[in-house]
Amino acid sequence: MGTDDIVEAELTSPATSSSAPASADRIPYSGPLSGPLNKRGVRKSARFNDSALTSPGSTRSSNGDDDSAYVEITLDVRDDSVAVHSVKPAGINGGGTAEDDPDVLLLAKTLEKRPGSFGSNLMRSASSKFRQVSQELRRLASISRRTGARIDRSKSAAAHALKGLKFISKTDGGAGWPAVEKRFDELASAAGLLDKSKFGQCIGIKEAEFANELFDALARRRNITGDTISKAELREFWDQISDQSFDSRLQTFFDMVDKNADGRITEEEVKQIIILSASANKLSKIQEQAEEYARLIMEELDPNGLGYIEIYNLEMLLLEGPSRSVQLSTTTNSKNLSQMLSQNLRPTKEPNPLRRWYQATKYFIEDNWKRVWVMAAWLSICIALFTWKFIQYRNRAVFHVMGYCVCVAKGGAETLKFNMALILLPVCRNTITWIRNKTRLGDVLPFDDNLNFHKVIAVGITIGVGLHAISHLTCDFPRLLHATDAQYGPMKPFFGDKRPDDYWWFVKGTEGWTGVVMVVLMAIAFTLATPWFRRGRIRLPGPLNRLTGFNAFWYSHHLFVIVYALLIIHGIFLYLSHKWYKKTTWMYLAIPMTLYAGERLMRALRSSVRPVKILKVAVYPGNVLTLHMSKPQGFRYRSGQYIFVNCAAVSPFQWHPFSITSAPQDDYVSVHIRTLGDWTRELKNVFSKVCQPPSDGRSGLLRADYDRDGHNSIPNFPRVLIDGPYGAPAQDYKQYEVVLLVGLGIGATPFISIIKDIINNIGQLDSLSPDDLESAQHNMSYNPNRSSSTFNTRRAYFYWVTREQGSFEWFRGVMNDVAEADKNGVIELHNYCTSVYEEGDARSALIAMLQQLNYAKNGVDVVAGTRVKTHFARPNWRSVYKRIALNHREKRVGVFYCGAPVLTKDLRQLAQDFSRKTSTKFEFHKENF
């Protein structure tokens, strides 16, 4: 080995030294490391022993020097570096090798770092190395104090946890050291030093507070003082935080918590790191309860009341606690999983373009055949009407004066009349609800797309107006004004004996001004109905900004009352048709207008005849208002349906749709309203005035309850009217034996009613006698998947994705009730909080540990405050579909989604992909209001 000097030292921890006898406090020492540190090519060895390796009740070997308790560390000391050469147990005699001891291997791996620069940093580097030796030996001693139980890292849960505690999500490519080095060059000072405040920006961590704590931990380990580091030191920092080994990441995380670097974590340090982690993940409620949660962790990991915990405690918590996702995956049948993995579930591109086009067309028709035939029928009718009028005027005398322009104008007018009548039908909500509930037309008509079809017809109206108005104004009228007397002769019965003098003659006539006013009003209504204006996405200067938002859309749409009146007048005073039976505008409009007017009259009468009483009001985090109202007599609805709500204190004319969140069996009707626009904002303000902070542990930021016994009642609730219920896609969930319910934010509202309804229906089936149950099952099999009133659902998966922790308060009571009542595990509930970093990220590691401990002890999730455990980040939707396809082969699965359009395309595409590649058929439905 060359020139070796041996140093033996016995390290005694403070906890043991205070209680040990004087003889145990000795520190055997055989001499310092001889020779100068800068001696070239010298290899130094030292043997260390921790007195804690010997338990209080045990005895040492007879000679007092048990070599098996020593670890021998060999250092290479050269001119410019001090490096660890090897780490092995002292006194290995044939019975084993260093490779047999994983703890020694871990110590060696931790110590064998690349050599640092000598110069002025030599003493700091050497001190840091020996400090690491001391800390690692203390950790090994702590591990030896465990009651013989070692962590089996081969178990599935441990293997899953070993991937955790990542400080950097990507450590290569654009997110690797080259990118960090580039940012260092941009952020460093002229002296080549990076300030602590810019450390997070440099390495790609957005949370400044978390990055600062990480900086301090890395600096403490290297005895770096001050708030600046060089590029070489940054490289050392980066190598450690990007190290993919679990043990290295665990040590880094431990160092962040261990503020005084004594190898122990106190309750106060645990509290501070809880606050830091909660802040990084935007979990305000956990921040408020940090002291309570810190006490919980100490009770669990420090049962002996020592007042501190050590690194092995965190390791046990991470590796021994199986995550829920691992548990779920291990329950999957291995045979099914193998078959699923053998299938190519991602669509492969067909090399033949003709075959690729054929497959795409085939799949499109299979998935959209209802929409296809309705659109084909509508286009065919429009083309037929246009062609009919075009040919008709092609054979009239007026054609010789005005040419094909009059044919185009009249063809466009005919399609315009048809579409102006048809556009009213998709918004006759009562009629549509009755048809989809009482008939089987829903099998061939896409009632879920009624509003989309309404918008498509509006496009057809725009085209018809353009063809009619442009042809008349730019072609027909100028040709008539410039016609010769001979050409004008046949036109006298239509335009008078005297030829019009100028263009103004056409505009000032009844036919002219009614047409111009209609075009202007329709342009206003169509413009303010676009998403940019209706959703308030566009900002206009000053008072013009009042033209955005739902109010502007609502009132501008009522301009169509004037438009329809002018359309009838315009259709009576025609230039080229004088016989009454040829004036067909009123014929097109009679039935649709009567039907729509009857619907509006029914709404007014029904809402006034069936008043509701406000029973409870609560304002929740995230600007959500919930209203519990009495159920009007005869008011019956199905889960998934919605109602219109009117509050005269806000606006006596506006009605807004909201999903019903109560179940049909409840004795009240409830809605949850999120503040997203001007009307909802004012509604929340009106009700907030009669609310007070809740007491007695009740939920909500503000709350007011009506005492049904008449005591302490609140008479000042604003008057509310409701109208409905109206049909929605989610109401048909009962047709499916398996349903996947996906709610994004406030989009969970229709599914809250559904999961309550499923529990109620399952409970009723369980209470039936065997004969009654057999009869019910016979009825279901006799008429499967036809009537939405028949309950077929036997399994439900509910995924609620929200970005705010406070959102879980909206339905906390419902979630707990469902978890309590669902004894047979019919409903699988999944909450996702996207503000929390994904599982495995160091920023959410302590939250995951805390979640696991609190749920095991109290059965309550720390994020949601319910009995349903919360997942972090966003779901992997492909994995969700895959698991359902595995568990429910040869089944029809109804996929219902309510929320922002951002997920619609992905969920629909996945439903189509898995329907084509597996035996499970997914049918996607999107809520539309």
Side-chain angles (χ1 to χ4, degrees):
M1 182 181 292
T3 306
D4 291 348
D5 295 309
I6 304 298
V7 177
E8 294 182 2
E10 184 171 356
L11 305 178
T12 304
S13 62
T16 57
S17 62
S18 60
S19 58
S23 61
D25 291 341
R26 65 183 178 84
I27 302 179
Y29 184 69
S30 61
L33 292 172
S34 60
L37 284 176
N38 62 349
K39 186 176 180 179
R40 180 180 301 273
V42 178
R43 189 169 292 165
K44 306 296 182 182
S45 296
R47 289 191 300 168
F48 294 84
N49 175 265
D50 195 323
S51 63
L53 287 169
T54 306
S55 59
S58 63
T59 59
R60 298 177 67 88
S61 61
S62 58
N63 59 6
D65 189 12
D66 186 359
D67 281 345
S68 65
Y70 284 81
V71 176
E72 182 173 297
I73 303 173
T74 303
L75 305 178
D76 282 331
V77 182
R78 300 182 182 275
D79 289 341
D80 58 348
S81 66
V82 178
V84 177
H85 177 267
S86 65
V87 180
K88 64 180 180 179
I92 296 178
N93 298 317
T97 63
E99 287 76 9
D100 294 332
D101 192 339
D103 291 327
V104 175
L105 291 177
L106 173 60
L107 177 62
K109 184 176 181 180
T110 305
L111 296 180
E112 290 173 0
K113 303 293 184 181
R114 65 181 179 83
S117 59
F118 184 70
S120 61
N121 295 328
L122 174 60
M123 296 307 297
R124 185 175 68 187
S125 299
S127 174
S128 175
K129 293 293 183 182
F130 287 115
R131 188 173 188 173
Q132 292 178 28
V133 170
S134 175
Q135 291 178 350
E136 292 300 328
L137 289 173
R138 182 174 294 164
R139 191 187 70 83
L140 293 177
S142 300
I143 293 175
S144 69
R145 290 198 298 269
R146 282 178 278 178
T147 59
R150 298 182 62 85
I151 299 173
D152 184 2
R153 294 190 175 188
S154 64
K155 293 183 179 179
S156 60
H160 177 78
L162 285 171
K163 302 176 183 178
L165 280 179
K166 296 180 180 178
F167 292 89
I168 304 296
S169 58
K170 294 181 180 179
T171 57
D172 51 12
W177 169 249
V180 175
E181 186 177 25
K182 180 179 179 181
R183 287 193 290 268
F184 176 89
D185 296 335
E186 296 173 354
L187 300 173
S189 64
L193 298 176
L194 180 70
D195 191 81
K196 173 182 174 180
S197 61
K198 299 179 181 179
F199 176 69
Q201 181 182 355
C202 186
I203 65 173
I205 296 180
K206 298 179 181 178
E207 293 73 21
E209 189 175 0
F210 187 89
N212 291 341
E213 291 293 339
L214 179 59
F215 180 96
D216 292 339
L218 297 170
R220 279 196 300 269
R221 176 160 282 272
R222 292 161 178 78
N223 290 337
I224 297 177
T225 58
D227 292 336
T228 58
I229 55 174
S230 65
K231 181 181 291 188
E233 291 169 331
L234 177 64
R235 180 60 190 264
E236 288 189 19
F237 284 17
W238 176 257
D239 288 343
Q240 181 170 342
I241 62 179
S242 62
D243 192 332
Q244 296 301 300
S245 67
F246 173 77
D247 298 294
S248 175
R249 296 196 297 264
L250 176 64
Q251 184 63 58
T252 303
F253 184 77
F254 185 86
D255 291 341
M256 289 184 64
V257 189
D258 185 17
K259 299 294 183 65
N260 55 5
D262 62 351
R264 299 167 178 176
I265 301 177
T266 64
E267 183 173 333
E268 181 62 27
E269 289 175 326
V270 172
K271 175 185 174 182
Q272 293 302 319
I273 199 64
I274 289 177
I275 294 175
L276 176 65
S277 298
S279 175
N281 293 279
K282 300 179 178 62
L283 301 176
S284 57
K285 293 189 176 298
I286 292 182
Q287 286 182 270
E288 298 170 0
Q289 298 176 277
E291 186 173 351
E292 175 186 345
Y293 291 140
R295 191 180 308 116
L296 172 66
I297 291 178
M298 296 302 294
E299 289 175 359
E300 181 68 22
L301 301 184
D302 180 27
N304 298 325
L306 299 177
Y308 62 86
I309 58 177
E310 297 178 292
I311 191 170
Y312 81 89
N313 299 112
L314 293 181
E315 183 180 4
M316 291 175 59
L317 185 61
L318 280 171
L319 300 186
E320 291 184 347
S323 66
R324 182 172 184 177
S325 60
V326 174
Q327 287 179 332
L328 290 174
S329 63
T330 56
T331 60
T332 304
N333 184 276
S334 59
K335 180 179 179 180
N336 291 346
L337 182 60
S338 299
Q339 293 181 4
M340 179 63 72
L341 293 175
S342 66
Q343 298 177 6
N344 183 12
L345 296 179
R346 295 182 182 273
T348 56
K349 187 174 182 179
E350 171 63 44
N352 189 323
L354 293 179
R355 186 174 298 175
R356 186 167 65 246
W357 178 86
Y358 169 76
Q359 289 181 348
T361 304
K362 175 186 174 183
Y363 288 146
F364 178 80
I365 294 176
E366 287 179 356
D367 296 329
N368 303 279
W369 66 270
K370 292 182 183 180
R371 300 184 182 96
V372 169
W373 89 259
V374 169
M375 287 296 299
W378 174 69
L379 289 173
S380 299
I381 293 173
C382 290
I383 293 172
L385 290 174
F386 182 88
T387 304
W388 171 52
K389 276 298 177 181
F390 188 94
I391 295 175
Q392 186 183 84
Y393 275 83
R394 173 67 178 78
N395 298 323
R396 292 185 60 174
V398 69
F399 174 77
H400 300 290
V401 178
M402 299 182 180
Y404 285 104
C405 296
V406 71
C407 299
V408 173
K410 289 301 180 179
E414 202 66 19
T415 63
L416 177 61
K417 290 185 285 186
F418 168 71
N419 286 323
M420 287 293 289
L422 185 63
I423 199 171
L424 296 175
L425 298 182
V427 290
C428 292
R429 302 175 189 268
N430 287 294
T431 303
I432 293 177
T433 301
W434 184 88
I435 292 174
R436 72 187 301 165
N437 289 344
K438 302 297 183 181
T439 71
R440 292 173 54 180
L441 287 176
D443 293 345
V444 294
L445 291 176
F447 287 121
D448 296 346
D449 294 315
N450 63 318
L451 292 184
N452 291 331
F453 190 46
H454 178 79
K455 298 172 184 177
V456 170
I457 299 172
V459 175
I461 290 175
T462 303
I463 296 174
V465 169
L467 293 175
H468 182 71
I470 294 174
S471 297
H472 271 330
L473 296 176
T474 63
C475 184
D476 291 341
F477 297 160
R479 292 188 67 168
L480 187 64
L481 290 173
H482 295 88
T484 62
D485 293 338
Q487 292 174 329
Y488 182 75
M491 298 294 101
K492 290 181 179 180
F494 308 112
F495 296 98
D497 294 336
K498 183 181 179 182
R499 183 171 50 192
D501 297 327
D502 52 26
Y503 202 85
W504 178 248
W505 185 91
F506 297 100
V507 176
K508 70 181 180 180
T510 303
E511 302 89 335
W513 70 264
T514 54
V516 172
V517 173
M518 279 193 296
V519 170
V520 172
L521 294 181
M522 282 194 288
I524 294 174
F526 285 7
T527 301
L528 298 183
T530 58
W532 298 280
F533 284 88
R534 181 182 178 183
R535 303 286 184 182
R537 297 173 184 170
I538 189 172
R539 295 297 177 186
L540 299 178
L544 293 179
N545 199 47
R546 296 174 63 90
L547 296 177
T548 63
F550 189 86
N551 280 345
F553 158 77
W554 174 264
Y555 290 114
S556 65
H557 243 56
H558 284 76
L559 293 175
F560 275 97
V561 175
I562 303 174
V563 170
Y564 276 98
L566 293 177
L567 181 60
I568 295 175
I569 297 173
H570 187 82
I572 294 175
F573 294 90
L574 295 178
Y575 291 120
L576 302 177
S577 298
H578 292 166
K579 296 179 180 180
W580 71 271
Y581 58 85
K582 291 186 177 181
K583 300 177 180 181
T584 58
T585 302
W586 66 272
M587 300 179 187
Y588 279 102
L589 299 178
I591 295 178
M593 288 186 65
T594 302
L595 184 63
Y596 183 75
E599 290 235 350
R600 296 300 295 264
L601 181 61
M602 181 187 297
R603 170 185 293 182
L605 294 177
R606 185 167 54 186
S607 60
S608 59
V609 171
R610 300 191 300 185
V612 295
K613 180 185 294 183
I614 302 296
L615 303 178
K616 186 184 81 172
V617 178
V619 180
Y620 290 105
N623 290 321
V624 169
L625 170 71
T626 180
L627 301 177
H628 284 224
M629 300 163 284
S630 61
K631 184 184 292 186
Q633 185 176 2
F635 185 84
R636 297 177 182 176
Y637 63 93
R638 297 177 181 177
S639 292
Q641 293 184 331
Y642 64 95
I643 59 176
F644 277 85
V645 177
N646 169 272
C647 181
V650 178
S651 172
F653 305 109
Q654 293 189 41
W655 293 80
H656 293 258
F658 300 100
S659 296
I660 302 173
T661 54
S662 54
Q665 297 84 356
D666 294 333
D667 61 351
Y668 61 90
V669 179
S670 66
V671 292
H672 286 67
I673 303 171
R674 185 163 193 176
T675 302
L676 294 175
D678 37 20
W679 187 87
T680 52
R681 187 180 304 110
E682 185 60 28
L683 182 72
K684 178 194 167 219
N685 293 336
V686 167
F687 276 97
S688 296
K689 295 177 181 178
V690 298
C691 293
Q692 297 177 352
S695 58
D696 301 329
R698 295 183 175 182
S699 60
L701 300 174
L702 297 171
R703 187 184 177 101
D705 296 85
Y706 181 85
D707 191 340
R708 300 194 185 199
D709 297 330
H711 303 292
N712 300 324
S713 61
I714 303 176
N716 296 323
F717 279 131
R719 184 168 180 261
V720 170
L721 304 177
I722 65 173
D723 176 53
Y726 292 104
Q731 78 173 53
D732 296 327
Y733 81 93
K734 294 181 181 180
Q735 296 179 5
Y736 301 94
E737 187 173 341
V738 182
V739 294
L740 170 60
L741 312 173
V742 180
L744 200 63
I746 197 63
T749 48
F751 308 131
I752 294 299
S753 177
I754 287 176
I755 61 176
K756 293 169 65 177
D757 191 39
I758 291 175
I759 292 297
N760 292 335
N761 279 279
I762 293 293
Q764 292 176 4
L765 290 177
D766 291 341
S767 64
L768 293 177
S769 64
D771 294 338
D772 293 337
L773 181 60
E774 182 179 356
S775 176
Q777 292 174 344
H778 173 74
N779 293 334
M780 293 177 189
S781 61
Y782 178 75
N783 188 22
N785 305 327
R786 293 300 181 187
S787 174
S788 58
S789 61
T790 302
F791 183 78
N792 296 322
T793 307
R794 293 297 178 272
R795 183 68 166 161
Y797 299 86
F798 176 46
Y799 284 79
W800 183 19
V801 184
T802 182
R803 60 186 174 188
E804 299 172 354
Q805 182 189 15
S807 302
F808 295 113
E809 282 199 30
W810 306 345
F811 309 115
R812 183 173 61 187
V814 175
M815 291 293 189
N816 288 331
D817 292 343
V818 171
E820 177 70 25
D822 188 18
K823 303 298 184 182
N824 299 325
V826 175
I827 302 177
E828 193 174 289
L829 302 174
H830 296 272
N831 292 339
Y832 279 82
C833 186
T834 59
S835 70
V836 184
Y837 285 92
E838 63 182 350
E839 295 180 11
D841 194 293
R843 285 161 288 192
S844 62
L846 195 65
I847 303 299
M849 299 179 200
L850 182 59
Q851 181 190 51
Q852 179 179 303
L853 285 177
N854 194 71
Y855 197 84
K857 182 175 182 179
N858 304 316
V860 177
D861 181 71
V862 295
V863 178
T866 67
R867 296 183 59 186
V868 181
K869 290 188 71 174
T870 301
H871 304 276
F872 301 157
R874 292 174 172 81
N876 184 332
W877 294 114
R878 180 168 290 275
S879 297
V880 171
Y881 275 85
K882 181 187 293 185
R883 190 162 63 88
I884 295 176
L886 281 172
N887 295 335
H888 305 283
R889 297 185 174 190
E890 307 293 340
K891 300 291 186 182
R892 289 171 63 242
V893 179
V895 182
F896 298 91
Y897 171 65
C898 184
V902 63
L903 267 182
T904 304
K905 182 179 178 181
D906 292 340
L907 293 178
R908 178 182 284 116
Q909 186 62 50
L910 285 171
Q912 294 171 358
D913 291 346
F914 277 84
S915 295
R916 297 163 188 168
K917 296 290 184 178
T918 69
S919 61
T920 307
K921 302 305 175 186
F922 294 86
E923 299 181 7
F924 180 80
H925 305 270
K926 167 71 167 67
E927 292 288 320
N928 295 301
F929 291 104

